[in-house]
Amino acid sequence: MTEMDQNLEAQSRESMEYDVVIVGAGPAGLAAAIHIKQLAAESGADISVVVVEKGSEVGAHILSGAVVDPIGLDALLPDWREAEDTPLTTQVTDDHFYLLGPSGGIRLPNFLMPPLMSNHGNFIGSLGNVARFLAARAEELGVEIYPGFAATEILYGENGAVEGIATGDMGIDRQGHARADFTRGMELRGKYTLFAEGARGSLTKQIIPRFGLDKGRSPQKFGIGLKELWQVDPSRFKPGLVQHSFGWPLDSGTGGGSFLYHFEDNLVAVGFVVHLDYKNPTLSPFDEFQRFKTHPLIRDTFEGAKRLSYGARAITEGGWQSVPALAFPGGALLGCAAGFVNVPRIKGSHNAVASGMLAARSVVSALAAGRAYDTLQDYEDGWRASSIGRDLKPVRNVKPLWSRFGTFIGVALGGFDMWTTTLTGGRSLFGTLRHRKRDCDSLLTIDRVKPLTYPKPDGVLTFDKLSSVFLSNTSHSEDQPAHLKLTDPAVPIKRNLPLYGEPARLYCPAGVYEVVYGNEEAHTDPRFVINAQNCVHCKTCDIKDPSQNITWVPPEGGGGPNYPNM
């Protein structure tokens, strides 16, 4: 150990004091920051707010479809449509829903769809650009935003309350030693700390068990969403078209769906979602996505088109019954960190903005009363009666019905239940169904399934993982500690490989995990290899690993994907 290494822990971190610290510059965190400043201006208060973001810039790690319900933006910034830099300009003009089979599909009539499934009045665009727009508005109001700084540690006071966060040290090599460019992280302390990290946030994952926020709740459920952005031939472009589908290529026992969104400049966003409670360990969500694009109703859109970008991200899917308690001493959970995605609508940004605004009101009220580091109970007590609750409650049984009865029966029952709750003011014949198990507990052992095989990509419509990761602009310093931690390095080969065929090599959409054999022909002397530099920060491994042996932690700030217009 070098003298510099010995002094690492002895070096004190610089500390900065704020009224409010926000982790994550997505729609939820930025909405909270903006609304705190708006309310402060109305009352003449001076409230300091800082936002830290692990991406190299605001929006770099934001990935969503996205069809945006503008209800949140309308409430936060009523004039957003008139702004010169407005991020959403394409309104939905046509709304299609298909059930796909191997060689065709059936379009479901719009009148059969519950009213809440309509996309009339919604906008198609890039959620990353929405975040950039919100960041500009926040900075105009005096919010400090620090991209490229990953929050890696929660700071607690003597009484156990959250008192802020610390950003990660930079300039640590792969062996954990200080490099010549070593820089100590900073402490950002606040009277209240709001966690808006998105799905499966690394600090949120610590907060929930520490304060027992999931007590009495169903297990949180997740999906993995994969997306590509294409520029298509103008003759095949249909501005404002929203097309959702389910069924093929997934079997009836595997939940998921897909989308095509046509928006500005001949751009088409194509995406595929696989619910992470799937059972077959040989399933590859990435390859199912590639296969989906070959469907007769899909492939023609991409004739003569150019693929521009690729990305993947976990999605919270548990809904109403899985939302943890939101408030705890010194802080609160916002947006997807809380689990506010409406699964059948495939939307969450409107609820993220609304949650940021609700939390902002609680924070400003508490600060005005001279409070600090306590529980924002009115935020927890109020969300179910808010627009968020009104959005999530009618669809609360769709996901559990799908999981229990499969795609065809489950989706039909889910549609019936949505109509029932719509017509009866929220009452359901099913009550509120619980989610039965965690996604990591759903895999069958490999001897109980029919192994799935996938065709080789053609490089025109279908692609491999590595060429896709290249389009995500993912970058990590290779000389840094691995941010994918194995609790027991022996588990992948000794347990996961014989029982499940080591599913990490398949569920990861970026080629991070490999099983390499000393003798490839005989399949002997296997080793588990982690290519951490490929990671697109989707968090799927942290969720789906059947041994719960993988923990995702933030790499050095600024690392990861850099999504343009995604």
Side-chain angles (χ1 to χ4, degrees):
M1 179 179 290
T2 68
E3 183 177 344
M4 184 179 289
D5 297 331
Q6 292 173 341
N7 292 332
L8 284 183
E9 293 186 5
Q11 293 185 34
S12 61
R13 291 181 291 217
E14 182 180 348
S15 180
M16 299 177 69
E17 299 281 344
Y18 295 88
D19 292 309
V20 185
V21 175
I22 299 174
V23 181
L30 292 170
I34 289 169
H35 202 47
I36 288 170
K37 286 293 191 177
Q38 290 172 332
L39 295 172
E42 291 174 4
S43 64
D46 182 14
I47 300 177
S48 57
V49 182
V50 64
V51 181
V52 291
E53 164 58 41
K54 66 182 176 67
S56 60
E57 65 173 15
V58 173
H61 290 178
I62 300 290
L63 184 74
S64 182
V67 172
V68 177
D69 183 336
I71 183 174
L73 288 174
D74 289 341
L76 180 68
L77 299 167
D79 61 348
W80 69 270
R81 288 174 173 83
E82 287 71 49
E84 288 187 5
D85 58 343
T86 182
L88 300 172
T89 58
T90 303
Q91 279 196 278
V92 176
T93 59
D94 209 355
D95 202 359
H96 298 177
F97 210 111
Y98 287 92
L99 170 61
L100 299 183
S103 59
I106 300 172
R107 181 178 172 187
L108 304 181
N110 285 14
F111 71 83
L112 289 180
M113 308 302 293
L116 59 87
M117 294 293 288
S118 171
N119 281 299
H120 177 74
N122 294 335
F123 286 79
I124 311 171
S126 160
L127 197 61
N129 289 341
V130 172
R132 295 179 180 100
F133 172 80
L134 293 176
R137 302 291 89 77
E139 289 181 321
E140 289 171 2
L141 293 169
V143 175
E144 295 181 32
I145 302 176
Y146 296 124
F149 290 88
T152 61
E153 181 184 341
I154 303 166
L155 305 177
Y156 297 98
E158 292 182 1
N159 64 353
V162 173
E163 294 190 354
I165 59 92
T167 63
D169 295 338
M170 302 182 75
I172 305 291
D173 70 18
R174 190 179 295 236
Q175 286 73 40
H177 302 153
R179 301 195 307 254
D181 60 343
F182 172 76
T183 303
R184 194 80 163 99
M186 292 183 60
E187 292 185 356
L188 301 176
R189 294 185 172 271
K191 297 171 183 175
Y192 294 100
T193 304
L194 307 180
F195 294 85
E197 298 179 284
R200 196 68 164 196
S202 56
L203 298 185
T204 302
K205 184 181 172 183
Q206 299 172 37
I207 286 283
I208 289 174
R210 182 182 180 97
F211 292 103
L213 304 182
D214 55 353
K215 184 178 180 181
R217 269 64 170 184
S218 283
Q220 186 58 267
K221 306 293 285 183
F222 296 91
I224 177 173
L226 305 104
K227 176 184 176 182
E228 294 174 349
L229 186 65
W230 290 68
Q231 191 157 46
V232 302
D233 187 293
S235 65
R236 300 174 188 278
F237 180 63
K238 301 174 183 178
L241 172 63
V242 165
Q243 181 173 308
H244 290 116
S245 55
F246 64 99
W248 190 90
L250 300 177
D251 62 34
S252 63
T254 304
S258 42
F259 62 81
L260 285 178
Y261 301 152
H262 294 239
F263 64 116
E264 58 201 41
D265 300 326
N266 299 321
L267 296 178
V268 172
V270 55
F272 197 78
V273 176
V274 177
H275 300 173
L276 287 177
D277 56 2
Y278 67 82
K279 298 176 182 178
N280 191 330
T282 68
L283 183 144
S284 166
F286 175 88
D287 291 295
E288 294 290 350
F289 175 33
Q290 299 306 310
R291 201 155 64 114
F292 159 73
K293 290 182 293 178
T294 67
H295 192 276
L297 288 178
I298 307 301
R299 67 177 305 136
D300 286 352
T301 299
F302 303 105
E303 186 72 32
K306 179 182 180 182
R307 190 174 70 143
L308 303 177
S309 300
Y310 164 81
R313 188 70 174 89
I315 306 167
T316 51
E317 293 188 340
W320 173 271
Q321 54 272 65
S322 295
V323 174
L326 302 180
F328 46 86
L333 306 179
L334 313 182
C336 287
F340 286 145
V341 172
N342 184 314
V343 174
R345 294 186 72 196
I346 323 179
K347 292 178 182 64
S349 61
H350 60 302
N351 288 336
V353 171
S355 70
M357 295 179 69
L358 282 175
R361 293 181 200 125
S362 294
V363 166
V364 172
S365 176
L367 293 173
R371 292 161 44 199
Y373 312 117
D374 61 354
T375 300
L376 300 167
Q377 194 60 46
D378 52 340
Y379 173 52
E380 163 61 21
D381 293 341
W383 78 265
R384 291 184 189 272
S386 74
S387 64
I388 304 171
R390 292 192 295 273
D391 187 61
L392 295 185
K393 188 174 183 180
V395 304
R396 65 192 183 276
N397 291 323
V398 172
K399 180 68 168 69
L401 286 169
W402 199 337
S403 297
R404 295 181 192 192
F405 296 102
T407 296
F408 302 111
I409 296 176
V411 168
L413 288 173
F416 170 77
D417 191 59
M418 282 191 285
W419 269 113
T420 301
T421 56
T422 298
L423 297 174
T424 62
R427 292 185 294 276
S428 167
L429 296 176
F430 300 103
T432 298
L433 298 173
R434 289 186 59 83
H435 300 295
R436 290 175 168 170
K437 61 174 68 173
R438 300 177 302 169
D439 293 329
C440 59
D441 298 325
S442 63
L443 283 181
L444 299 174
T445 53
I446 198 166
D447 59 331
R448 297 174 61 192
V449 303
K450 180 180 179 180
L452 298 171
T453 58
Y454 298 97
K456 290 184 177 181
D458 60 21
V460 177
L461 181 62
T462 61
F463 302 88
D464 62 18
K465 290 181 180 179
L466 294 184
S467 65
S468 299
V469 171
F470 177 79
L471 289 182
S472 72
N473 300 304
T474 294
S475 176
H476 297 91
S477 168
E478 294 197 17
D479 188 21
Q480 66 172 300
H483 66 279
L484 300 156
K485 309 289 188 181
L486 299 181
T487 304
D488 182 350
V491 163
I493 299 302
K494 288 191 174 181
R495 182 176 190 271
N496 286 357
L497 184 61
L499 287 180
Y500 305 102
E502 186 39 82
R505 62 191 177 85
L506 295 170
Y507 60 59
C508 173
V512 170
Y513 303 102
E514 293 182 279
V515 175
V516 177
Y517 295 92
N519 185 324
E520 284 289 346
E521 292 185 4
H523 270 212
T524 57
D525 190 22
R527 291 184 299 111
F528 189 63
V529 177
I530 301 178
N531 305 301
Q533 68 275 10
N534 289 358
C535 180
V536 295
H537 298 199
C538 74
K539 316 287 183 67
T540 303
C541 55
D542 195 299
I543 297 164
K544 187 61 176 175
D545 177 46
S547 301
Q548 285 297 275
N549 189 52
I550 302 173
T551 299
W552 188 97
V553 299
E556 199 168 274
N562 284 276
Y563 294 133
N565 210 30
M566 290 281 273

